[in-house]
Amino acid sequence: MTVAAERPMRLVEHFEHGLDAPICLTWELTYACNLACVHCLSSSGRRDPRELTTGQAERVIDELQAMQVFYVNIGGGEPTIRPDFWHLLDYAVAHNVGVKFSTNGARITPERARQLAVTDYVDVQVSLDGATAEINDRVRGAGSYATALRALDNLAAAGFENAKVSVVLTRENADQLDDFKALAESRGATLRLTRLRPSGRGADVWDDLHPTMQQQRIVYEWLLAHGESVLTGDSFFHLAGFGESLPGLNLCGAGRVVCLIDPVGDVYACPFAIHDTFLAGNVLTDGGFARVWRESSLFADLRAPQSSGACTQCAHYDGCRGGCMAAKFFTGLPLDGPDPECVQGYSEARLAADRTIPAASQDHSKSGSSHAPVFVPLGVGPAAPPARSCSEHPLEGFHPHVDHQGVARG
Amino acid sequence: MALDEARVDALDEALDEAWELAPQVALRDEAFGALAYHFTTRRLTFLKSRDLVDVVRLLGGSTTLREALDAAGVDAGSWDAYARAVLALADGDMVRRREVAA
Ligand code: SF4
Ligand code: SF4
């Protein structure tokens, strides 16, 4: 909701210049994950030995409280793997920093669910990328569907109200939207649908998994019909190119109202932009988070007027604004041109032509060097079970979905 | 027509009532005004003028909205607009009516 007593101003303009503190801050507590989802935006798997200590994490929370960052989106990796996860959650809530955390659900036991149900200011997002085990487990690993549903059942049984079922839209699940919604509602939960970005390991599977143009159109119509009862983190604003703007904020918030703190305290412009190009500083070595947020030269650049190249000529620019910076970057497209999924088709030629995809600047995947899990698209051959590590760990993996712009609605 | 009159009545009524910021709401100042965050509903609202932020901050210590507007130095010509804004904030439980001891 926006309330102005007098001259209405466009929030977009305020946000483009950046705010004193982020509105939507994601904090990945660990890169450790037992799973290896094929599209993990942070290429998670192994714990980084330089992970912030409990004390260092508490200092970050103190700073967030002082800056009045009202809530953080906690993710990973699987954040509950950290032994001090529940402590940090309580610490944040006690310091007026609400927590929304993303999990695969493996540690959401009946006891934890009851504990969460009586904790104020905590929201839980359970990741699910298929409305059926077949579709979900191809992406997230064997058994992960059952685990997620068990967590949702435990939360519902404990009386935890309004958990989120967090779905990354892919080519394989795009025709399951009604099923996802029914599945969430049957457990007193709300569906949250976000966009697949070619970030982290997502870069390897994006060509095969990103929705087709026809699917984008169907999703657009579906969101127009159900927009009020489904959360999207405002991540589909590029669909405004079909005609109407979807509810929410139409703007790339990276470094302006959005940012990411990673497990070692590095601050990036956006959770989908974990790359040296978008690294603003470090909370330990650059004088704290507030200082990085307010003084980093990268963020100053992102808050300066941007040129939007060909998009400025487009009739839909006001709603779409050229789409997602991270999606452009990781598909090797120019940042001042159209989104790779431009629904007007202005990126098709470039995507088909030679492109240089930027090399990943970090990778925490488990099996050695780079980009461990293998994904075989439906109909191409047997699905490769992506998560061998399942049998080694009691936890299922996960990747965070970020309500990076779900802020201007209401 | 009748509807318009009803609206005007509602605004007048709002001006004469006592209000306060809801206890679960925190305000964060920004250059354009402030963010208001409701910790229970997790709703974020943007107060897009400094004057409105002042008025909202003054509500709890004023007997009526009128008094708060006056204290904030808001021109009487725009009080209706502020009453509308306060009613909109009340819809989202950002501000609420306050019982005043008789
Ligand atoms: S549009 Fe893309 S880069 Fe910008 S904030 Fe959203 S996810 Fe990040
Ligand atoms: S040309 Fe640019 S603004 Fe227009 S729809 Fe495509 S990405 Fe959006």
Side-chain angles (χ1 to χ4, degrees):
Chain A
M1 177 170 55
T2 296
V3 177
E6 291 158 301
R7 181 172 60 95
M9 290 185 291
R10 298 185 62 201
L11 275 171
V12 165
E13 289 158 32
H14 297 298
F15 289 178
E16 279 175 348
H17 299 120
L19 299 185
D20 288 350
I23 293 176
C24 187
L25 172 71
T26 299
W27 186 2
E28 292 178 351
L29 283 182
T30 182
Y31 283 123
C33 198
N34 61 305
L35 263 207
C37 300
V38 296
H39 57 345
C40 180
L41 83 172
S42 55
S43 302
S44 282
R46 285 171 290 119
R47 181 180 170 274
D48 191 309
R50 299 163 303 154
E51 213 166 72
L52 298 181
T53 64
T54 305
Q56 288 166 337
E58 288 172 354
R59 297 296 79 75
V60 171
I61 294 168
D62 294 343
E63 262 199 286
L64 299 182
Q65 179 182 27
M67 293 172 82
Q68 286 192 285
V69 173
F70 300 124
Y71 69 92
V72 286
N73 303 290
I74 288 187
E78 169 58 46
T80 61
I81 283 183
R82 267 188 77 125
D84 58 2
F85 173 77
W86 303 99
H87 163 75
L88 291 175
L89 186 140
D90 289 340
Y91 188 91
V93 168
H95 288 77
N96 293 327
V97 179
V99 170
K100 173 159 41 169
F101 74 91
S102 294
T103 178
N104 61 71
R107 289 197 171 177
I108 310 299
T109 59
E111 297 73 42
R112 284 296 182 203
R114 283 193 290 275
Q115 176 195 340
L116 287 165
V118 296
T119 312
D120 282 339
Y121 311 154
V122 174
D123 205 2
V124 184
Q125 292 188 171
V126 179
S127 302
L128 193 73
D129 292 331
T132 52
E134 191 210 350
I135 299 288
N136 177 80
D137 291 5
R138 284 166 47 73
V139 170
R140 306 186 55 79
S144 57
Y145 179 84
T147 302
L149 261 62
R150 195 180 333 116
L152 289 165
D153 288 339
N154 289 343
L155 289 166
F160 186 94
E161 280 172 26
N162 203 11
K164 310 295 179 291
V165 177
S166 198
V167 175
V168 174
L169 183 82
T170 65
R171 191 168 302 178
E172 299 193 348
N173 68 24
D175 58 359
Q176 298 187 312
L177 297 180
D178 289 326
D179 300 337
F180 279 123
K181 190 160 181 284
L183 185 151
E185 283 167 6
S186 71
R187 287 155 178 92
T190 301
L191 173 61
R192 183 158 182 283
L193 195 62
T194 54
R195 189 176 171 195
L196 173 72
R197 278 96 168 182
S199 314
R201 285 194 295 264
D204 300 337
V205 293
W206 187 81
D207 286 341
D208 292 325
L209 271 186
H210 79 90
T212 63
M213 185 70 92
Q214 199 187 0
Q215 288 176 325
Q216 295 211 85
R217 154 84 56 188
I218 292 168
V219 170
Y220 165 75
E221 312 262 339
W222 194 88
L223 288 174
L224 283 181
H226 299 95
E228 296 307 317
S229 55
V230 173
L231 303 170
T232 63
D234 295 359
S235 64
F236 292 103
F237 63 92
H238 73 294
L239 297 181
F242 280 128
E244 273 181 69
S245 290
L246 297 164
L249 181 66
N250 296 318
L251 163 84
C252 170
R256 299 156 156 175
V257 297
V258 172
C259 80
L260 169 80
I261 303 177
D262 93 341
V264 304
D266 281 343
V267 179
Y268 292 91
C270 163
F272 296 95
I274 302 182
H275 190 276
D276 289 347
T277 308
F278 302 109
L279 177 59
N282 182 281
V283 301
L284 299 180
T285 56
D286 292 314
F289 174 69
R291 183 135 175 230
V292 173
W293 176 261
R294 289 173 185 152
E295 294 176 21
S296 116
S297 57
L298 170 74
F299 286 176
D301 287 347
L302 290 172
R303 293 164 193 169
Q306 307 285 310
S307 91
S308 303
C311 285
T312 27
Q313 310 299 320
C314 171
H316 305 289
Y317 180 71
D318 237 29
C320 167
R321 302 183 87 80
C324 171
M325 177 185 79
K328 294 183 237 197
F329 180 80
F330 288 113
T331 48
L333 298 186
L335 298 188
D336 65 351
D339 189 284
E341 293 183 286
C342 166
V343 299
Q344 291 292 318
Y346 291 135
S347 283
E348 279 166 13
R350 273 199 197 254
L351 284 178
D354 271 352
R355 293 174 277 149
T356 314
I357 304 219
S361 41
Q362 54 171 303
D363 189 355
H364 307 274
S365 302
K366 274 187 187 146
S367 319
S369 59
S370 169
H371 298 222
V374 177
F375 179 77
V376 181
L378 272 180
V380 174
R388 256 166 303 157
S389 46
C390 253
S391 47
E392 297 163 25
H393 293 269
L395 274 169
E396 310 284 349
F398 119 110
H399 61 123
H401 314 295
V402 178
D403 210 346
H404 72 299
Q405 287 162 355
V407 293
R409 69 175 63 244
Chain B
M1 204 55 183
L3 202 63
D4 282 356
E5 278 162 27
R7 273 202 203 117
V8 171
D9 282 353
L11 296 182
D12 266 350
E13 222 175 278
L15 285 167
D16 289 328
E17 285 173 307
W19 297 86
E20 65 185 355
L21 193 65
Q24 308 87 339
V25 173
L27 293 180
R28 175 174 115 199
D29 288 313
E30 287 286 347
F32 60 83
L35 308 179
Y37 184 70
H38 194 299
F39 278 96
T40 305
T41 64
R42 300 195 187 92
R43 278 172 73 147
L44 194 58
T45 296
F46 300 89
L47 305 186
K48 297 199 298 175
S49 90
R50 297 288 334 157
D51 285 348
L52 180 59
V53 178
D54 290 345
V55 170
V56 166
R57 284 223 161 90
L58 286 163
L59 286 175
S62 311
T63 11
T64 61
L65 173 53
R66 262 179 228 290
E67 197 182 297
L69 288 163
D70 197 39
V74 175
D75 183 76
S78 48
W79 284 11
D80 278 1
Y82 279 83
R84 258 192 295 277
V86 166
L87 286 171
L89 287 169
D91 278 346
D93 190 40
M94 289 292 177
V95 302
R96 51 175 67 164
R97 290 179 176 82
R98 176 166 49 95
E99 293 301 327
V100 214

PDB file of all heavy atoms in Angstrom, chain A residues 9 64 66 72 80-81 84-85 87 90 118 164 187 211-212 214 235 249 286 295 300 305 310 319 322 340 350-351 406:
ATOM      1  N   MET A   9       3.790  10.663  -5.683  1.00  0.00           N
ATOM      2  CA  MET A   9       5.057  10.528  -6.396  1.00  0.00           C
ATOM      3  C   MET A   9       5.231   9.060  -6.727  1.00  0.00           C
ATOM      4  O   MET A   9       4.699   8.204  -6.051  1.00  0.00           O
ATOM      5  CB  MET A   9       6.199  10.980  -5.499  1.00  0.00           C
ATOM      6  CG  MET A   9       6.205  12.462  -5.259  1.00  0.00           C
ATOM      7  SD  MET A   9       7.650  12.937  -4.305  1.00  0.00           S
ATOM      8  CE  MET A   9       7.297  12.232  -2.712  1.00  0.00           C
ATOM      9  N   LEU A  64      21.561  -4.489  11.536  1.00  0.00           N
ATOM     10  CA  LEU A  64      20.274  -4.453  10.838  1.00  0.00           C
ATOM     11  C   LEU A  64      19.224  -3.803  11.718  1.00  0.00           C
ATOM     12  O   LEU A  64      18.384  -3.029  11.256  1.00  0.00           O
ATOM     13  CB  LEU A  64      19.835  -5.870  10.437  1.00  0.00           C
ATOM     14  CG  LEU A  64      20.772  -6.612   9.495  1.00  0.00           C
ATOM     15  CD1 LEU A  64      20.196  -7.983   9.145  1.00  0.00           C
ATOM     16  CD2 LEU A  64      21.018  -5.813   8.219  1.00  0.00           C
ATOM     17  N   ALA A  66      19.782  -1.541  14.026  1.00  0.00           N
ATOM     18  CA  ALA A  66      20.063  -0.104  14.070  1.00  0.00           C
ATOM     19  C   ALA A  66      19.612   0.577  12.774  1.00  0.00           C
ATOM     20  O   ALA A  66      19.148   1.718  12.784  1.00  0.00           O
ATOM     21  CB  ALA A  66      21.549   0.129  14.310  1.00  0.00           C
ATOM     22  N   VAL A  72      14.582  -9.979   7.438  1.00  0.00           N
ATOM     23  CA  VAL A  72      15.538 -10.548   6.491  1.00  0.00           C
ATOM     24  C   VAL A  72      14.976 -11.850   5.938  1.00  0.00           C
ATOM     25  O   VAL A  72      14.242 -12.566   6.616  1.00  0.00           O
ATOM     26  CB  VAL A  72      16.913 -10.870   7.125  1.00  0.00           C
ATOM     27  CG1 VAL A  72      17.695  -9.620   7.388  1.00  0.00           C
ATOM     28  CG2 VAL A  72      16.777 -11.704   8.371  1.00  0.00           C
ATOM     29  N   THR A  80      19.192 -24.253   8.013  1.00  0.00           N
ATOM     30  CA  THR A  80      19.029 -24.980   9.283  1.00  0.00           C
ATOM     31  C   THR A  80      20.186 -25.934   9.546  1.00  0.00           C
ATOM     32  O   THR A  80      20.275 -26.511  10.629  1.00  0.00           O
ATOM     33  CB  THR A  80      17.700 -25.771   9.297  1.00  0.00           C
ATOM     34  OG1 THR A  80      17.724 -26.726   8.239  1.00  0.00           O
ATOM     35  CG2 THR A  80      16.510 -24.850   9.103  1.00  0.00           C
ATOM     36  N   ILE A  81      21.074 -26.094   8.584  1.00  0.00           N
ATOM     37  CA  ILE A  81      22.269 -26.917   8.814  1.00  0.00           C
ATOM     38  C   ILE A  81      23.176 -26.253   9.841  1.00  0.00           C
ATOM     39  O   ILE A  81      23.869 -26.923  10.602  1.00  0.00           O
ATOM     40  CB  ILE A  81      23.036 -27.144   7.486  1.00  0.00           C
ATOM     41  CG1 ILE A  81      22.315 -28.196   6.636  1.00  0.00           C
ATOM     42  CG2 ILE A  81      24.464 -27.572   7.755  1.00  0.00           C
ATOM     43  CD1 ILE A  81      23.035 -28.533   5.342  1.00  0.00           C
ATOM     44  N   ASP A  84      23.856 -23.069  14.888  1.00  0.00           N
ATOM     45  CA  ASP A  84      23.330 -21.916  15.625  1.00  0.00           C
ATOM     46  C   ASP A  84      22.132 -21.273  14.919  1.00  0.00           C
ATOM     47  O   ASP A  84      21.728 -20.160  15.257  1.00  0.00           O
ATOM     48  CB  ASP A  84      24.432 -20.867  15.824  1.00  0.00           C
ATOM     49  CG  ASP A  84      25.032 -20.392  14.496  1.00  0.00           C
ATOM     50  OD1 ASP A  84      24.571 -20.849  13.421  1.00  0.00           O
ATOM     51  OD2 ASP A  84      25.958 -19.560  14.536  1.00  0.00           O
ATOM     52  N   PHE A  85      21.550 -21.986  13.946  1.00  0.00           N
ATOM     53  CA  PHE A  85      20.444 -21.393  13.188  1.00  0.00           C
ATOM     54  C   PHE A  85      19.295 -20.935  14.091  1.00  0.00           C
ATOM     55  O   PHE A  85      18.823 -19.803  13.998  1.00  0.00           O
ATOM     56  CB  PHE A  85      19.903 -22.370  12.136  1.00  0.00           C
ATOM     57  CG  PHE A  85      18.658 -21.862  11.465  1.00  0.00           C
ATOM     58  CD1 PHE A  85      18.734 -20.886  10.486  1.00  0.00           C
ATOM     59  CD2 PHE A  85      17.391 -22.320  11.847  1.00  0.00           C
ATOM     60  CE1 PHE A  85      17.582 -20.381   9.878  1.00  0.00           C
ATOM     61  CE2 PHE A  85      16.240 -21.822  11.246  1.00  0.00           C
ATOM     62  CZ  PHE A  85      16.342 -20.856  10.268  1.00  0.00           C
ATOM     63  N   HIS A  87      19.264 -20.361  17.241  1.00  0.00           N
ATOM     64  CA  HIS A  87      19.700 -19.260  18.100  1.00  0.00           C
ATOM     65  C   HIS A  87      19.669 -17.933  17.347  1.00  0.00           C
ATOM     66  O   HIS A  87      19.159 -16.931  17.847  1.00  0.00           O
ATOM     67  CB  HIS A  87      21.114 -19.530  18.640  1.00  0.00           C
ATOM     68  CG  HIS A  87      21.772 -18.287  19.170  1.00  0.00           C
ATOM     69  ND1 HIS A  87      21.417 -17.731  20.386  1.00  0.00           N
ATOM     70  CD2 HIS A  87      22.706 -17.459  18.626  1.00  0.00           C
ATOM     71  CE1 HIS A  87      22.117 -16.621  20.571  1.00  0.00           C
ATOM     72  NE2 HIS A  87      22.911 -16.428  19.527  1.00  0.00           N
ATOM     73  N   ASP A  90      16.141 -16.651  16.906  1.00  0.00           N
ATOM     74  CA  ASP A  90      15.621 -16.017  18.122  1.00  0.00           C
ATOM     75  C   ASP A  90      16.291 -14.665  18.364  1.00  0.00           C
ATOM     76  O   ASP A  90      15.656 -13.702  18.781  1.00  0.00           O
ATOM     77  CB  ASP A  90      15.854 -16.924  19.349  1.00  0.00           C
ATOM     78  CG  ASP A  90      14.945 -18.145  19.320  1.00  0.00           C
ATOM     79  OD1 ASP A  90      13.920 -18.111  18.616  1.00  0.00           O
ATOM     80  OD2 ASP A  90      15.277 -19.138  19.997  1.00  0.00           O
ATOM     81  N   VAL A 118       4.625 -20.747  17.675  1.00  0.00           N
ATOM     82  CA  VAL A 118       4.463 -19.803  18.786  1.00  0.00           C
ATOM     83  C   VAL A 118       5.507 -18.692  18.763  1.00  0.00           C
ATOM     84  O   VAL A 118       5.605 -17.900  19.686  1.00  0.00           O
ATOM     85  CB  VAL A 118       4.493 -20.521  20.165  1.00  0.00           C
ATOM     86  CG1 VAL A 118       3.299 -21.468  20.276  1.00  0.00           C
ATOM     87  CG2 VAL A 118       5.814 -21.251  20.389  1.00  0.00           C
ATOM     88  N   LYS A 164       4.609 -20.547   3.404  1.00  0.00           N
ATOM     89  CA  LYS A 164       4.664 -20.319   1.963  1.00  0.00           C
ATOM     90  C   LYS A 164       5.186 -21.573   1.264  1.00  0.00           C
ATOM     91  O   LYS A 164       6.127 -22.207   1.755  1.00  0.00           O
ATOM     92  CB  LYS A 164       5.598 -19.147   1.633  1.00  0.00           C
ATOM     93  CG  LYS A 164       5.318 -17.879   2.444  1.00  0.00           C
ATOM     94  CD  LYS A 164       3.962 -17.276   2.139  1.00  0.00           C
ATOM     95  CE  LYS A 164       3.667 -16.026   2.947  1.00  0.00           C
ATOM     96  NZ  LYS A 164       3.460 -16.247   4.378  1.00  0.00           N
ATOM     97  N   ARG A 187      -3.048 -26.980   2.728  1.00  0.00           N
ATOM     98  CA  ARG A 187      -2.272 -26.987   3.964  1.00  0.00           C
ATOM     99  C   ARG A 187      -2.263 -25.618   4.642  1.00  0.00           C
ATOM    100  O   ARG A 187      -1.381 -25.310   5.434  1.00  0.00           O
ATOM    101  CB  ARG A 187      -0.854 -27.448   3.676  1.00  0.00           C
ATOM    102  CG  ARG A 187      -0.822 -28.943   3.407  1.00  0.00           C
ATOM    103  CD  ARG A 187       0.345 -29.366   2.573  1.00  0.00           C
ATOM    104  NE  ARG A 187       0.325 -30.825   2.414  1.00  0.00           N
ATOM    105  CZ  ARG A 187      -0.265 -31.448   1.400  1.00  0.00           C
ATOM    106  NH1 ARG A 187      -0.893 -30.772   0.462  1.00  0.00           N
ATOM    107  NH2 ARG A 187      -0.232 -32.765   1.330  1.00  0.00           N
ATOM    108  N   PRO A 211      10.894 -21.161 -18.923  1.00  0.00           N
ATOM    109  CA  PRO A 211       9.622 -21.381 -19.607  1.00  0.00           C
ATOM    110  C   PRO A 211       9.657 -20.912 -21.054  1.00  0.00           C
ATOM    111  O   PRO A 211      10.359 -19.965 -21.394  1.00  0.00           O
ATOM    112  CB  PRO A 211       8.620 -20.568 -18.791  1.00  0.00           C
ATOM    113  CG  PRO A 211       9.359 -19.924 -17.691  1.00  0.00           C
ATOM    114  CD  PRO A 211      10.783 -20.314 -17.734  1.00  0.00           C
ATOM    115  N   THR A 212       8.924 -21.578 -21.889  1.00  0.00           N
ATOM    116  CA  THR A 212       8.816 -21.169 -23.286  1.00  0.00           C
ATOM    117  C   THR A 212       7.998 -19.883 -23.371  1.00  0.00           C
ATOM    118  O   THR A 212       7.305 -19.513 -22.430  1.00  0.00           O
ATOM    119  CB  THR A 212       8.089 -22.236 -24.128  1.00  0.00           C
ATOM    120  OG1 THR A 212       6.756 -22.356 -23.630  1.00  0.00           O
ATOM    121  CG2 THR A 212       8.790 -23.579 -24.042  1.00  0.00           C
ATOM    122  N   GLN A 214       5.347 -19.413 -25.015  1.00  0.00           N
ATOM    123  CA  GLN A 214       3.929 -19.764 -24.872  1.00  0.00           C
ATOM    124  C   GLN A 214       3.577 -19.935 -23.386  1.00  0.00           C
ATOM    125  O   GLN A 214       2.532 -19.481 -22.929  1.00  0.00           O
ATOM    126  CB  GLN A 214       3.700 -21.067 -25.628  1.00  0.00           C
ATOM    127  CG  GLN A 214       2.265 -21.333 -25.963  1.00  0.00           C
ATOM    128  CD  GLN A 214       2.109 -22.728 -26.568  1.00  0.00           C
ATOM    129  OE1 GLN A 214       3.095 -23.469 -26.719  1.00  0.00           O
ATOM    130  NE2 GLN A 214       0.891 -23.080 -26.901  1.00  0.00           N
ATOM    131  N   SER A 235       8.580 -10.829  -9.109  1.00  0.00           N
ATOM    132  CA  SER A 235       9.711 -11.232  -9.948  1.00  0.00           C
ATOM    133  C   SER A 235       9.344 -11.380 -11.425  1.00  0.00           C
ATOM    134  O   SER A 235      10.210 -11.640 -12.242  1.00  0.00           O
ATOM    135  CB  SER A 235      10.319 -12.535  -9.418  1.00  0.00           C
ATOM    136  OG  SER A 235       9.402 -13.594  -9.497  1.00  0.00           O
ATOM    137  N   LEU A 249       5.899  -3.945  -7.523  1.00  0.00           N
ATOM    138  CA  LEU A 249       6.867  -2.960  -7.948  1.00  0.00           C
ATOM    139  C   LEU A 249       7.566  -3.415  -9.220  1.00  0.00           C
ATOM    140  O   LEU A 249       8.099  -4.510  -9.288  1.00  0.00           O
ATOM    141  CB  LEU A 249       7.903  -2.780  -6.836  1.00  0.00           C
ATOM    142  CG  LEU A 249       8.991  -1.770  -7.106  1.00  0.00           C
ATOM    143  CD1 LEU A 249       8.404  -0.378  -7.193  1.00  0.00           C
ATOM    144  CD2 LEU A 249      10.032  -1.845  -6.015  1.00  0.00           C
ATOM    145  N   ASP A 286      35.127  -4.308   5.465  1.00  0.00           N
ATOM    146  CA  ASP A 286      34.846  -2.974   4.923  1.00  0.00           C
ATOM    147  C   ASP A 286      34.024  -2.110   5.864  1.00  0.00           C
ATOM    148  O   ASP A 286      33.262  -1.238   5.427  1.00  0.00           O
ATOM    149  CB  ASP A 286      34.156  -3.088   3.558  1.00  0.00           C
ATOM    150  CG  ASP A 286      35.080  -3.661   2.495  1.00  0.00           C
ATOM    151  OD1 ASP A 286      36.243  -3.192   2.420  1.00  0.00           O
ATOM    152  OD2 ASP A 286      34.686  -4.585   1.778  1.00  0.00           O
ATOM    153  N   GLU A 295      28.064   3.270   1.189  1.00  0.00           N
ATOM    154  CA  GLU A 295      29.238   3.900   0.577  1.00  0.00           C
ATOM    155  C   GLU A 295      29.867   3.134  -0.574  1.00  0.00           C
ATOM    156  O   GLU A 295      30.804   3.627  -1.184  1.00  0.00           O
ATOM    157  CB  GLU A 295      30.288   4.161   1.669  1.00  0.00           C
ATOM    158  CG  GLU A 295      29.797   5.187   2.681  1.00  0.00           C
ATOM    159  CD  GLU A 295      30.766   5.396   3.840  1.00  0.00           C
ATOM    160  OE1 GLU A 295      31.958   5.083   3.689  1.00  0.00           O
ATOM    161  OE2 GLU A 295      30.297   5.863   4.890  1.00  0.00           O
ATOM    162  N   ALA A 300      26.629   2.844  -5.640  1.00  0.00           N
ATOM    163  CA  ALA A 300      26.438   4.204  -6.155  1.00  0.00           C
ATOM    164  C   ALA A 300      26.173   4.154  -7.658  1.00  0.00           C
ATOM    165  O   ALA A 300      25.285   4.840  -8.172  1.00  0.00           O
ATOM    166  CB  ALA A 300      27.662   5.063  -5.843  1.00  0.00           C
ATOM    167  N   PRO A 305      21.451   7.078 -12.720  1.00  0.00           N
ATOM    168  CA  PRO A 305      20.563   6.810 -13.860  1.00  0.00           C
ATOM    169  C   PRO A 305      21.175   5.777 -14.803  1.00  0.00           C
ATOM    170  O   PRO A 305      22.359   5.830 -15.111  1.00  0.00           O
ATOM    171  CB  PRO A 305      20.460   8.183 -14.534  1.00  0.00           C
ATOM    172  CG  PRO A 305      20.796   9.171 -13.473  1.00  0.00           C
ATOM    173  CD  PRO A 305      21.767   8.495 -12.558  1.00  0.00           C
ATOM    174  N   ALA A 310      17.878  -0.224 -26.275  1.00  0.00           N
ATOM    175  CA  ALA A 310      16.742  -0.461 -27.170  1.00  0.00           C
ATOM    176  C   ALA A 310      15.414  -0.443 -26.428  1.00  0.00           C
ATOM    177  O   ALA A 310      14.381  -0.074 -26.998  1.00  0.00           O
ATOM    178  CB  ALA A 310      16.923  -1.801 -27.879  1.00  0.00           C
ATOM    179  N   GLY A 319       6.343  -0.665 -17.696  1.00  0.00           N
ATOM    180  CA  GLY A 319       6.061  -1.788 -16.810  1.00  0.00           C
ATOM    181  C   GLY A 319       7.229  -2.739 -16.710  1.00  0.00           C
ATOM    182  O   GLY A 319       7.539  -3.262 -15.644  1.00  0.00           O
ATOM    183  N   GLY A 322      12.943  -3.279 -19.022  1.00  0.00           N
ATOM    184  CA  GLY A 322      14.089  -4.028 -19.511  1.00  0.00           C
ATOM    185  C   GLY A 322      14.369  -5.307 -18.743  1.00  0.00           C
ATOM    186  O   GLY A 322      15.307  -6.026 -19.054  1.00  0.00           O
ATOM    187  N   PRO A 340      16.596 -11.522 -21.340  1.00  0.00           N
ATOM    188  CA  PRO A 340      16.660 -12.699 -22.219  1.00  0.00           C
ATOM    189  C   PRO A 340      15.281 -13.303 -22.492  1.00  0.00           C
ATOM    190  O   PRO A 340      15.086 -13.944 -23.518  1.00  0.00           O
ATOM    191  CB  PRO A 340      17.544 -13.683 -21.445  1.00  0.00           C
ATOM    192  CG  PRO A 340      17.594 -13.177 -20.049  1.00  0.00           C
ATOM    193  CD  PRO A 340      17.423 -11.693 -20.153  1.00  0.00           C
ATOM    194  N   ARG A 350      19.715 -12.471 -30.321  1.00  0.00           N
ATOM    195  CA  ARG A 350      20.968 -12.427 -29.563  1.00  0.00           C
ATOM    196  C   ARG A 350      21.240 -13.742 -28.839  1.00  0.00           C
ATOM    197  O   ARG A 350      22.379 -14.179 -28.732  1.00  0.00           O
ATOM    198  CB  ARG A 350      20.920 -11.308 -28.542  1.00  0.00           C
ATOM    199  CG  ARG A 350      21.378  -9.969 -29.088  1.00  0.00           C
ATOM    200  CD  ARG A 350      21.735  -9.085 -27.906  1.00  0.00           C
ATOM    201  NE  ARG A 350      21.803  -7.686 -28.287  1.00  0.00           N
ATOM    202  CZ  ARG A 350      22.945  -7.036 -28.410  1.00  0.00           C
ATOM    203  NH1 ARG A 350      24.092  -7.653 -28.201  1.00  0.00           N
ATOM    204  NH2 ARG A 350      22.938  -5.770 -28.740  1.00  0.00           N
ATOM    205  N   LEU A 351      20.170 -14.346 -28.312  1.00  0.00           N
ATOM    206  CA  LEU A 351      20.354 -15.612 -27.609  1.00  0.00           C
ATOM    207  C   LEU A 351      20.811 -16.693 -28.572  1.00  0.00           C
ATOM    208  O   LEU A 351      21.579 -17.589 -28.212  1.00  0.00           O
ATOM    209  CB  LEU A 351      19.052 -16.044 -26.923  1.00  0.00           C
ATOM    210  CG  LEU A 351      18.654 -15.314 -25.640  1.00  0.00           C
ATOM    211  CD1 LEU A 351      17.316 -15.836 -25.118  1.00  0.00           C
ATOM    212  CD2 LEU A 351      19.719 -15.456 -24.558  1.00  0.00           C
ATOM    213  N   GLY A 406       8.784  -7.900  -3.312  1.00  0.00           N
ATOM    214  CA  GLY A 406       7.396  -8.009  -2.893  1.00  0.00           C
ATOM    215  C   GLY A 406       7.068  -6.955  -1.869  1.00  0.00           C
ATOM    216  O   GLY A 406       6.548  -7.240  -0.813  1.00  0.00           O
TER     217      GLY A 406
END
